[in-house]
Structures are given as C-alpha cells and as structure tokens.
Amino acid sequence: MEKAESEKKASSVSNVGAWAMNVTSSVGIIMANKQLMSSSGFAFTFATTLTGFHFALTALVGLVSNATGLSASKHVPLWELLWFSLVANVSIAAMNFSLMLNSVGFYQISKLSMIPVVCVMEWILHNKQYSREVKASVMVVVVGVGICTVTDVKVNAKGFICACTAVFSTSLQQISIGSLQKKYSIGSFELLSKTAPIQALSLLIFGPFVDYFLSGRFITTYKMTYGAIFCILLSCALAVFCNISQYLCIGRFSATSFQVLGHMKTVCVLTLGWLIFDSEMTVKNIAGMILAVVGMVIYSWAVELEKQRKTKVTPHGKNSMTEDEIRLLKEGLEHMNLEDMELGDSKA
C-alpha cells in the first residue's frame, strides 16, 4: 500500500515536471522568437527554416543520447515515421500560411477550435468519451482565451482552407504522438529522436522556399549578426526542451489536455508581453485571462473527478476477462469435454 502511494506521488511529481517544462520552454521560445523575428529586433523572418534548425538540434541530441546508451532505440516502421513527419510538417507550414493569409483574430479562433476538433477526432479514432464537466470546462477555457486574444475577424477563401488544414493536421499530429507511443511501447524521447531527423531534413530542404513565398526573401540574403546567431541558438536550445516536453505531456495525458495546457501558455505569453515588451493590457484581456485560468482549474477538477468515477466503476479486483482469456477458457473446456468422451468410451 505504501509502495503504491509513493509511486503515485512520484508519478504526480513527474507529471507536474513535464507540464512545467513544456510551459517554461514554450513561453521562453516565443519570447526568443519575438525578439529574433520582430522588425524592432533582428528581423529574421524565416520561421519554417528556423523550425528546421530546431529539429536538427533535437535530432543531434537524440543521436548522442542513443550513441552513449542514455536512451534505447526501439523499432517503429519507417512508413509510420514518414507519415507522422509529413503530418507534422504540413501542420507547421499550414500554421505559418494561416497566420500570413488571415487576420490575427481569425488565426486565434482557428487555434481555439483545436480543442473541440481533438475531442471529436479522439472520439472517432479511439472511441473516447468525455463527461459533461470536462466539456463545460473546455468551453470556459475556449471562451476565456477567445475574449483576451480575438480582435478583428476577417475571413478569405485561401486563408480559411489553410486554417482548416492547420487545425486538422495539428490535431492529428498530437493524437498520433500518444497512439504511436502506446502502439510500440516507446518512450517520448525515443519517438522524438526517430522523427526529428526526418522532419529536420525535409524542413531544411523545403523550408527556405516556403519562407520565400511567405516573406519574399531567401534566407541567403539575410545578414547574420552575433545577436541574431545568439537568439537562433537560444531558440534551438529551448526547442529541444519544448519538443521533448510535448511528447512527454501527450504520452502521459491526452491531446485534449495538451490543448488546454497550450491555452495556459497563451495567458503566460500575454502577461510576459505586457511585462517585458510593454504590450497593451486592457480590462478585456485581464477578464479573459482570469476566465481562462478558472476554466483550467475546473478542467483539472473535472479530469480528476472522471478518474475517480472510473476507479469506482472498475474495482481493483479483476472481474472481467480479456478476449484472449475467453478464447483460452473455451479451448480448455473443449479439451476437457474431449477427454471426458474418450474416458467414457474406454470405460464402456
């Protein structure tokens, strides 16, 4: 009993660590990229290529980890890795195009729509059910973040298609992370170290052309400075932690929980933008952030309540049999009946 409690506490600590690592690294990378990409900073406008740099460093860390024996490499079929990398890269490119073609307001709405989309996709793909409390808390989070981020909303056909593609591919990518980890019993870092090289190679090859379409400039025309190089290296270092913690969080929780965490990061970014970059903070922003935080607290309570209900429904004792156990039992009964018949014949 004491051992189970200590394991539960250790698991809770590691869960909090994964959440904290993701929030800290994600907020940090946004702040670093803001300084790197803004016109008042270093005006490095090559977002897709920068993501390629991120995955290249992540792949290098994974390679060193495997070579030194810090992590074990498990087999995952190449076609699964290629499929996942394709979906992930489409997600990155579509997000960038969506931001370019749409107003900031519609871009934020498309990001907010990911929670219901993830919920529907998990229901279709994995038959996952959600309680009324979880659904209500998710709506509170979405409304809260919507109040503090959505301003002007302008829609056009190309932007709408890009936004739909971005939402679908990002949702599918996040669900796939958890599915692959469970399917092949592979750890978060091991999976990341397998997908990162493929993503890095493809993004570094095609990224400059995507960035040229977005900004009208090739990366070769950019004049590097020591400040820009430092920001790129800082962004890459934070991206390693961000990527690892993303896989950790989705492996431990669910894609829906990860989306709720993402909106917590939005609140942190808005707050830090106000503190560090003198961004405007209105009463509407503050009200929206408070509502979003309340929604996150309710979501945590609702998830815990759902776990308790499942624990009551499924007691610790094993009362149900798996399909394999039923099959073995049937085979055993048939074998016993056959032996009884043979024994009866011999007696006769």
Side-chain angles (χ1 to χ4, degrees), residues 90-103:
V90 167
S91 165
I92 293 163
M95 276 292 185
N96 289 337
F97 277 115
S98 177
L99 185 59
M100 181 189 76
L101 297 170
N102 294 310
S103 64

Side-chain angles (χ1 to χ4, degrees), residues 108-127:
Q108 286 295 340
I109 285 177
S110 69
K111 285 181 72 177
L112 290 172
S113 69
M114 282 183 198
I115 286 187
V117 169
V118 165
C119 289
V120 171
M121 288 179 72
E122 285 195 317
W123 172 63
I124 292 169
L125 296 173
H126 304 301
N127 197 28

Side-chain angles (χ1 to χ4, degrees), residues 148-315:
C148 61
T149 58
V150 176
T151 50
D152 59 316
V153 180
K154 296 175 184 175
V155 187
N156 60 77
K158 288 182 181 177
F160 181 76
I161 292 168
C162 285
C164 289
T165 305
V167 169
F168 178 77
S169 56
T170 304
S171 302
L172 184 60
Q173 179 225 359
Q174 291 177 359
I175 291 170
S176 298
I177 291 172
S179 298
L180 286 173
Q181 284 183 261
K182 288 173 185 174
K183 187 176 179 180
Y184 296 104
S185 302
I186 188 170
S188 53
F189 185 73
E190 286 75 21
L191 179 60
L192 179 60
S193 64
K194 286 182 176 296
T195 57
I198 301 170
Q199 286 188 255
L201 186 63
S202 54
L203 285 170
L204 290 174
I205 291 171
F206 298 107
F209 298 101
V210 174
D211 289 330
Y212 177 76
F213 187 83
L214 291 168
S215 63
R217 294 172 60 198
F218 267 115
I219 191 170
T220 50
T221 62
Y222 182 78
K223 292 182 180 179
M224 284 287 182
T225 62
Y226 288 114
I229 292 170
F230 173 77
C231 274
I232 290 170
L233 292 174
L234 177 62
S235 179
C236 289
L238 288 167
V240 172
F241 291 102
C242 187
N243 287 329
I244 292 170
S245 60
Q246 178 185 358
Y247 281 59
L248 272 173
C249 285
I250 296 176
R252 289 171 180 273
F253 310 107
S254 67
T256 306
S257 297
F258 186 74
Q259 281 295 324
V260 173
L261 172 68
H263 293 313
M264 183 180 173
K265 290 183 282 189
T266 302
V267 172
C268 292
V269 168
L270 287 169
T271 306
L272 286 174
W274 172 58
L275 292 171
I276 299 171
F277 297 103
D278 296 323
S279 299
E280 186 182 359
M281 184 67 76
T282 63
V283 175
K284 184 169 80 77
N285 293 140
I286 295 168
M289 285 193 288
I290 291 170
L291 186 61
V293 171
V294 168
M296 289 167 203
V297 172
I298 296 171
Y299 178 81
S300 301
W301 166 79
V303 169
E304 192 61 34
L305 187 67
E306 200 170 28
K307 284 180 184 176
Q308 288 174 7
R309 283 175 183 167
K310 285 179 181 177
T311 306
K312 286 178 183 177
V313 172
T314 310

Side-chain angles (χ1 to χ4, degrees), residues 24-75:
T24 306
S25 58
S26 299
V27 173
I29 199 172
I30 289 169
M31 294 294 128
N33 288 352
K34 188 178 177 71
Q35 181 63 27
L36 180 64
M37 294 182 178
S38 64
S39 54
S40 58
F42 297 104
F44 185 87
T45 56
F46 312 99
T48 314
T49 308
L50 179 64
T51 308
F53 294 154
H54 290 169
F55 280 105
L57 183 60
T58 304
L60 182 63
V61 170
L63 187 68
V64 171
S65 179
N66 287 333
T68 54
L70 291 173
S71 59
S73 181
K74 290 187 178 180
H75 175 71

